[in-house]
Short mmCIF file of all heavy atoms in Angstrom, two decimals:
data_model
loop_
_atom_site.label_atom_id
_atom_site.label_comp_id
_atom_site.label_asym_id
_atom_site.label_seq_id
_atom_site.Cartn_x
_atom_site.Cartn_y
_atom_site.Cartn_z
N LEU A 114 105.23 270.98 48.33
CA LEU A 114 105.17 270.09 49.48
C LEU A 114 103.79 270.18 50.12
O LEU A 114 103.26 271.28 50.30
CB LEU A 114 106.25 270.48 50.50
CG LEU A 114 106.26 269.73 51.83
CD1 LEU A 114 106.66 268.28 51.62
CD2 LEU A 114 107.23 270.40 52.80
N VAL A 115 103.21 269.04 50.44
CA VAL A 115 101.93 269.02 51.16
C VAL A 115 102.23 268.64 52.61
O VAL A 115 102.78 267.57 52.87
CB VAL A 115 100.95 268.00 50.55
CG1 VAL A 115 99.60 268.11 51.24
CG2 VAL A 115 100.80 268.23 49.06
N LYS A 116 101.86 269.55 53.52
CA LYS A 116 102.13 269.31 54.93
C LYS A 116 100.82 269.21 55.70
O LYS A 116 99.78 269.71 55.27
CB LYS A 116 102.98 270.44 55.51
CG LYS A 116 104.38 270.49 54.95
CD LYS A 116 105.22 271.58 55.59
CE LYS A 116 104.81 272.95 55.14
NZ LYS A 116 105.79 273.98 55.52
N GLY A 117 100.90 268.58 56.84
CA GLY A 117 99.72 268.46 57.69
C GLY A 117 99.29 269.79 58.26
O GLY A 117 100.08 270.75 58.35
N ARG A 118 98.05 269.86 58.65
CA ARG A 118 97.45 271.10 59.16
C ARG A 118 98.23 271.67 60.34
O ARG A 118 98.39 272.88 60.48
CB ARG A 118 96.01 270.78 59.59
CG ARG A 118 95.16 271.96 59.90
CD ARG A 118 93.83 271.49 60.47
NE ARG A 118 93.04 270.77 59.50
CZ ARG A 118 92.05 271.33 58.80
NH1 ARG A 118 91.76 272.59 58.97
NH2 ARG A 118 91.35 270.60 57.96
N GLY A 119 98.74 270.76 61.18
CA GLY A 119 99.43 271.21 62.40
C GLY A 119 100.77 271.88 62.16
O GLY A 119 101.39 272.36 63.11
N ARG A 120 101.24 271.91 60.90
CA ARG A 120 102.51 272.59 60.58
C ARG A 120 102.29 274.06 60.25
O ARG A 120 103.24 274.80 60.00
CB ARG A 120 103.21 271.92 59.40
CG ARG A 120 103.38 270.43 59.49
CD ARG A 120 104.27 270.00 60.61
NE ARG A 120 105.67 270.32 60.42
CZ ARG A 120 106.64 270.00 61.27
NH1 ARG A 120 106.33 269.33 62.38
NH2 ARG A 120 107.90 270.32 61.04
N TYR A 121 101.01 274.51 60.21
CA TYR A 121 100.68 275.89 59.85
C TYR A 121 100.09 276.63 61.05
O TYR A 121 99.48 276.02 61.94
CB TYR A 121 99.66 275.93 58.71
CG TYR A 121 100.15 275.37 57.40
CD1 TYR A 121 99.95 274.03 57.08
CD2 TYR A 121 100.78 276.19 56.47
CE1 TYR A 121 100.38 273.51 55.88
CE2 TYR A 121 101.22 275.67 55.25
CZ TYR A 121 101.02 274.34 54.96
OH TYR A 121 101.44 273.84 53.76
N ILE A 122 100.20 277.95 61.02
CA ILE A 122 99.50 278.76 62.01
C ILE A 122 98.06 278.97 61.56
O ILE A 122 97.73 278.83 60.39
CB ILE A 122 100.16 280.16 62.20
CG1 ILE A 122 100.10 280.96 60.89
CG2 ILE A 122 101.55 280.05 62.74
CD1 ILE A 122 100.24 282.45 61.06
N CYS A 123 97.22 279.30 62.51
CA CYS A 123 95.91 279.86 62.21
C CYS A 123 96.08 281.37 62.38
O CYS A 123 96.37 281.85 63.48
CB CYS A 123 94.85 279.33 63.17
SG CYS A 123 93.29 280.21 63.08
N ALA A 124 95.95 282.12 61.29
CA ALA A 124 96.20 283.57 61.32
C ALA A 124 95.27 284.26 62.31
O ALA A 124 95.67 285.24 62.98
CB ALA A 124 96.03 284.16 59.92
N LYS A 126 94.01 282.92 65.10
CA LYS A 126 94.52 282.65 66.45
C LYS A 126 95.71 283.53 66.77
O LYS A 126 95.86 284.04 67.89
CB LYS A 126 94.93 281.17 66.57
CG LYS A 126 93.80 280.18 66.75
CD LYS A 126 94.42 278.80 67.01
CE LYS A 126 93.38 277.72 67.13
NZ LYS A 126 94.00 276.40 67.36
N THR A 143 94.88 275.91 75.72
CA THR A 143 96.26 275.42 75.63
C THR A 143 97.19 276.11 76.62
O THR A 143 98.35 275.75 76.72
CB THR A 143 96.80 275.63 74.20
OG1 THR A 143 96.53 276.98 73.80
CG2 THR A 143 96.14 274.68 73.22
N LEU A 159 106.72 286.49 65.51
CA LEU A 159 105.98 285.71 64.52
C LEU A 159 104.88 286.56 63.88
O LEU A 159 104.69 286.55 62.66
CB LEU A 159 105.35 284.47 65.18
CG LEU A 159 106.32 283.40 65.70
CD1 LEU A 159 105.57 282.38 66.56
CD2 LEU A 159 107.01 282.69 64.55
N TRP A 168 107.24 285.98 56.46
CA TRP A 168 107.12 284.60 56.91
C TRP A 168 105.83 284.02 56.35
O TRP A 168 104.80 284.69 56.32
CB TRP A 168 107.12 284.54 58.44
CG TRP A 168 106.95 283.17 59.03
CD1 TRP A 168 107.61 282.03 58.67
CD2 TRP A 168 106.05 282.80 60.07
NE1 TRP A 168 107.19 280.96 59.44
CE2 TRP A 168 106.23 281.41 60.30
CE3 TRP A 168 105.12 283.49 60.84
CZ2 TRP A 168 105.51 280.72 61.28
CZ3 TRP A 168 104.41 282.80 61.81
CH2 TRP A 168 104.61 281.43 62.03
N GLN A 169 105.89 282.77 55.90
CA GLN A 169 104.73 282.16 55.23
C GLN A 169 103.69 281.62 56.21
O GLN A 169 102.61 281.22 55.81
CB GLN A 169 105.20 281.01 54.33
CG GLN A 169 106.16 281.45 53.25
CD GLN A 169 106.82 280.26 52.55
OE1 GLN A 169 106.41 279.12 52.73
NE2 GLN A 169 107.85 280.53 51.77
N GLY A 170 104.05 281.56 57.49
CA GLY A 170 103.09 281.08 58.47
C GLY A 170 103.13 279.58 58.70
O GLY A 170 102.14 278.98 59.14
N ASP A 171 104.27 278.95 58.40
CA ASP A 171 104.39 277.52 58.68
C ASP A 171 105.61 277.26 59.55
O ASP A 171 106.58 278.03 59.54
CB ASP A 171 104.48 276.71 57.39
CG ASP A 171 105.74 276.99 56.62
OD1 ASP A 171 105.94 278.14 56.23
OD2 ASP A 171 106.53 276.06 56.41
N LEU A 172 105.56 276.18 60.30
CA LEU A 172 106.58 275.85 61.29
C LEU A 172 107.95 275.67 60.65
O LEU A 172 108.97 276.07 61.21
CB LEU A 172 106.17 274.58 62.03
CG LEU A 172 107.01 274.13 63.22
CD1 LEU A 172 106.98 275.17 64.32
CD2 LEU A 172 106.49 272.80 63.75
N ASP A 173 107.99 275.09 59.45
CA ASP A 173 109.26 274.70 58.84
C ASP A 173 110.04 275.87 58.24
O ASP A 173 111.25 275.78 58.06
CB ASP A 173 109.01 273.65 57.75
CG ASP A 173 108.23 272.46 58.30
OD1 ASP A 173 108.83 271.69 59.06
OD2 ASP A 173 107.04 272.33 57.99
N SER A 174 109.35 276.97 57.90
CA SER A 174 110.05 278.09 57.27
C SER A 174 110.52 279.14 58.27
O SER A 174 111.11 280.14 57.90
CB SER A 174 109.16 278.75 56.20
OG SER A 174 108.03 279.35 56.80
N TRP A 175 110.24 278.91 59.57
CA TRP A 175 110.74 279.83 60.60
C TRP A 175 112.13 279.38 61.00
O TRP A 175 112.34 278.22 61.36
CB TRP A 175 109.81 279.84 61.81
CG TRP A 175 110.16 280.87 62.84
CD1 TRP A 175 110.75 280.65 64.04
CD2 TRP A 175 109.97 282.28 62.74
NE1 TRP A 175 110.93 281.83 64.71
CE2 TRP A 175 110.46 282.87 63.93
CE3 TRP A 175 109.42 283.12 61.76
CZ2 TRP A 175 110.42 284.24 64.17
CZ3 TRP A 175 109.38 284.49 62.00
CH2 TRP A 175 109.88 285.04 63.19
N ILE A 179 110.42 277.47 67.63
CA ILE A 179 109.23 278.09 68.22
C ILE A 179 108.85 277.27 69.45
O ILE A 179 108.63 276.06 69.35
CB ILE A 179 108.06 278.11 67.21
CG1 ILE A 179 108.44 278.91 65.96
CG2 ILE A 179 106.81 278.71 67.86
CD1 ILE A 179 107.40 278.89 64.87
N PRO A 180 108.79 277.89 70.64
CA PRO A 180 108.44 277.14 71.85
C PRO A 180 107.09 276.42 71.70
O PRO A 180 106.17 276.95 71.07
CB PRO A 180 108.35 278.23 72.93
CG PRO A 180 109.21 279.35 72.41
CD PRO A 180 109.07 279.31 70.92
N ASP A 181 106.99 275.24 72.27
CA ASP A 181 105.78 274.43 72.13
C ASP A 181 104.52 275.17 72.58
O ASP A 181 103.47 275.10 71.94
CB ASP A 181 105.92 273.13 72.93
CG ASP A 181 106.85 272.14 72.24
OD1 ASP A 181 107.15 272.33 71.05
OD2 ASP A 181 107.30 271.18 72.91
N ARG A 182 104.63 275.88 73.71
CA ARG A 182 103.43 276.56 74.24
C ARG A 182 102.96 277.66 73.31
O ARG A 182 101.76 277.89 73.16
CB ARG A 182 103.72 277.14 75.64
CG ARG A 182 103.76 276.05 76.68
CD ARG A 182 103.91 276.49 78.11
NE ARG A 182 104.00 277.90 78.37
CZ ARG A 182 103.13 278.57 79.14
NH1 ARG A 182 102.08 277.95 79.65
NH2 ARG A 182 103.29 279.85 79.38
N VAL A 183 103.90 278.32 72.65
CA VAL A 183 103.53 279.36 71.68
C VAL A 183 102.88 278.71 70.46
O VAL A 183 101.84 279.17 69.97
CB VAL A 183 104.77 280.18 71.26
CG1 VAL A 183 104.42 281.15 70.13
CG2 VAL A 183 105.35 280.93 72.45
N TRP A 184 103.50 277.63 69.97
CA TRP A 184 102.97 277.00 68.76
C TRP A 184 101.58 276.41 69.01
O TRP A 184 100.69 276.56 68.18
CB TRP A 184 103.93 275.91 68.25
CG TRP A 184 103.46 275.37 66.94
CD1 TRP A 184 102.87 274.16 66.69
CD2 TRP A 184 103.48 276.05 65.69
NE1 TRP A 184 102.54 274.04 65.37
CE2 TRP A 184 102.90 275.20 64.72
CE3 TRP A 184 103.94 277.31 65.28
CZ2 TRP A 184 102.76 275.56 63.38
CZ3 TRP A 184 103.81 277.67 63.95
CH2 TRP A 184 103.22 276.81 63.02
N HIS A 185 101.37 275.76 70.14
CA HIS A 185 100.06 275.17 70.43
C HIS A 185 98.98 276.25 70.53
O HIS A 185 97.81 276.00 70.25
CB HIS A 185 100.12 274.37 71.73
CG HIS A 185 100.92 273.12 71.61
ND1 HIS A 185 101.56 272.53 72.69
CD2 HIS A 185 101.22 272.34 70.55
CE1 HIS A 185 102.20 271.45 72.27
NE2 HIS A 185 102.00 271.31 70.98
N LEU A 186 99.40 277.44 70.90
CA LEU A 186 98.46 278.56 71.02
C LEU A 186 97.98 279.06 69.67
O LEU A 186 96.84 279.50 69.52
CB LEU A 186 99.15 279.70 71.79
CG LEU A 186 98.32 280.92 72.18
CD1 LEU A 186 97.24 280.53 73.17
CD2 LEU A 186 99.22 281.99 72.78
N ILE A 187 98.83 278.95 68.64
CA ILE A 187 98.52 279.58 67.35
C ILE A 187 98.40 278.59 66.19
O ILE A 187 98.10 278.98 65.06
CB ILE A 187 99.61 280.63 66.98
CG1 ILE A 187 100.98 279.97 66.85
CG2 ILE A 187 99.63 281.75 68.01
CD1 ILE A 187 102.09 280.91 66.38
N ALA A 188 98.63 277.29 66.46
CA ALA A 188 98.62 276.29 65.38
C ALA A 188 97.21 276.07 64.84
O ALA A 188 96.22 276.15 65.57
CB ALA A 188 99.20 274.97 65.87
N CYS A 189 97.14 275.78 63.57
CA CYS A 189 95.88 275.48 62.90
C CYS A 189 95.37 274.12 63.38
O CYS A 189 96.15 273.19 63.57
CB CYS A 189 96.12 275.45 61.39
SG CYS A 189 94.69 274.97 60.41
N ASP A 190 94.07 273.99 63.60
CA ASP A 190 93.48 272.68 63.88
C ASP A 190 92.15 272.58 63.14
O ASP A 190 91.50 273.59 62.86
CB ASP A 190 93.30 272.44 65.38
CG ASP A 190 92.20 273.29 65.97
OD1 ASP A 190 91.04 272.85 65.95
OD2 ASP A 190 92.50 274.41 66.44
N LYS A 191 91.76 271.36 62.80
CA LYS A 191 90.63 271.18 61.88
C LYS A 191 89.30 271.59 62.47
O LYS A 191 88.35 271.86 61.74
CB LYS A 191 90.57 269.71 61.42
CG LYS A 191 90.19 268.72 62.49
CD LYS A 191 90.07 267.32 61.90
CE LYS A 191 89.69 266.30 62.97
NZ LYS A 191 89.53 264.94 62.39
N HIS A 192 89.21 271.67 63.79
CA HIS A 192 87.92 271.99 64.40
C HIS A 192 87.72 273.49 64.59
O HIS A 192 86.62 273.99 64.43
CB HIS A 192 87.79 271.27 65.74
CG HIS A 192 87.80 269.78 65.60
ND1 HIS A 192 86.77 269.08 65.04
CD2 HIS A 192 88.75 268.86 65.93
CE1 HIS A 192 87.05 267.79 65.03
NE2 HIS A 192 88.24 267.63 65.57
N ALA A 193 88.79 274.23 64.91
CA ALA A 193 88.65 275.67 65.15
C ALA A 193 88.91 276.49 63.89
O ALA A 193 88.30 277.52 63.68
CB ALA A 193 89.59 276.11 66.27
N CYS A 194 89.83 276.02 63.05
CA CYS A 194 90.22 276.79 61.86
C CYS A 194 89.55 276.17 60.63
O CYS A 194 90.13 275.36 59.93
CB CYS A 194 91.74 276.78 61.71
SG CYS A 194 92.34 277.89 60.41
N CYS A 204 93.76 281.90 56.16
CA CYS A 204 94.80 281.25 56.97
C CYS A 204 95.75 280.46 56.05
O CYS A 204 95.31 279.91 55.03
CB CYS A 204 94.16 280.31 58.00
SG CYS A 204 93.44 281.18 59.41
N PRO A 205 97.04 280.39 56.40
CA PRO A 205 98.03 279.75 55.52
C PRO A 205 97.68 278.34 55.09
O PRO A 205 97.93 277.96 53.95
CB PRO A 205 99.31 279.76 56.37
CG PRO A 205 99.14 280.92 57.29
CD PRO A 205 97.68 280.99 57.59
N PHE A 206 97.09 277.55 56.00
CA PHE A 206 96.75 276.17 55.64
C PHE A 206 95.75 276.13 54.50
O PHE A 206 95.90 275.37 53.54
CB PHE A 206 96.18 275.43 56.86
CG PHE A 206 95.58 274.10 56.53
CD1 PHE A 206 96.40 273.00 56.28
CD2 PHE A 206 94.20 273.93 56.44
CE1 PHE A 206 95.85 271.76 55.96
CE2 PHE A 206 93.64 272.70 56.12
CZ PHE A 206 94.48 271.62 55.89
N HIS A 207 94.71 276.96 54.57
CA HIS A 207 93.67 276.94 53.54
C HIS A 207 94.20 277.50 52.22
O HIS A 207 93.83 277.02 51.14
CB HIS A 207 92.45 277.72 54.02
CG HIS A 207 91.85 277.15 55.26
ND1 HIS A 207 91.36 275.87 55.32
CD2 HIS A 207 91.68 277.68 56.50
CE1 HIS A 207 90.90 275.63 56.54
NE2 HIS A 207 91.09 276.71 57.27
N ALA A 209 97.30 277.16 51.30
CA ALA A 209 98.16 276.08 50.80
C ALA A 209 97.32 275.00 50.12
O ALA A 209 97.71 274.45 49.09
CB ALA A 209 98.98 275.48 51.95
N ARG A 210 96.16 274.69 50.69
CA ARG A 210 95.30 273.67 50.09
C ARG A 210 94.73 274.14 48.75
O ARG A 210 94.51 273.34 47.85
CB ARG A 210 94.15 273.32 51.05
CG ARG A 210 94.59 272.47 52.23
CD ARG A 210 95.15 271.12 51.75
NE ARG A 210 95.64 270.30 52.83
CZ ARG A 210 96.90 270.25 53.24
NH1 ARG A 210 97.81 271.01 52.66
NH2 ARG A 210 97.26 269.46 54.23
N ASN A 222 104.32 262.89 52.96
CA ASN A 222 104.90 261.73 53.65
C ASN A 222 103.85 260.63 53.78
O ASN A 222 102.67 260.84 53.50
CB ASN A 222 105.48 262.12 55.02
CG ASN A 222 104.44 262.71 55.95
OD1 ASN A 222 103.26 262.40 55.88
ND2 ASN A 222 104.88 263.57 56.86
N SER A 224 102.53 259.28 56.33
CA SER A 224 101.51 259.55 57.35
C SER A 224 100.39 260.42 56.80
O SER A 224 99.21 260.20 57.08
CB SER A 224 102.14 260.21 58.58
OG SER A 224 103.04 259.34 59.21
N LEU A 225 100.75 261.43 56.00
CA LEU A 225 99.74 262.31 55.42
C LEU A 225 98.88 261.55 54.42
O LEU A 225 97.66 261.75 54.36
CB LEU A 225 100.42 263.51 54.74
CG LEU A 225 99.49 264.66 54.38
CD1 LEU A 225 99.05 265.41 55.63
CD2 LEU A 225 100.16 265.63 53.42
N ALA A 228 96.53 259.52 56.44
CA ALA A 228 95.52 260.39 57.07
C ALA A 228 94.42 260.72 56.07
O ALA A 228 93.24 260.76 56.42
CB ALA A 228 96.18 261.66 57.59
N LEU A 232 90.29 259.49 56.10
CA LEU A 232 89.16 260.41 55.96
C LEU A 232 88.29 260.08 54.74
O LEU A 232 87.32 260.77 54.45
CB LEU A 232 89.67 261.86 55.85
CG LEU A 232 90.36 262.41 57.10
CD1 LEU A 232 91.05 263.73 56.79
CD2 LEU A 232 89.36 262.60 58.23
N ILE A 237 92.55 265.63 52.05
CA ILE A 237 93.81 266.36 52.17
C ILE A 237 94.51 266.41 50.81
O ILE A 237 94.97 267.45 50.36
CB ILE A 237 94.73 265.70 53.22
CG1 ILE A 237 94.03 265.60 54.56
CG2 ILE A 237 96.04 266.48 53.35
CD1 ILE A 237 94.75 264.77 55.60
#
Side-chain angles (χ1 to χ4, degrees):
L114 175 68
V115 186
K116 293 183 287 193
R118 191 187 294 261
R120 309 296 290 182
Y121 295 92
I122 62 159
C123 169
K126 282 186 183 179
T143 49
L159 294 169
W168 178 48
Q169 300 168 12
D171 66 299
L172 187 63
D173 306 288
S174 65
W175 187 254
I179 300 175
D181 286 344
R182 285 186 0 120
V183 174
W184 186 254
H185 290 153
L186 186 65
I187 61 176
C189 176
D190 72 87
K191 68 177 180 178
H192 297 290
C194 188
C204 284
F206 170 76
H207 300 300
R210 286 298 178 266
N222 60 29
S224 295
L225 193 72
L232 294 169
I237 303 171

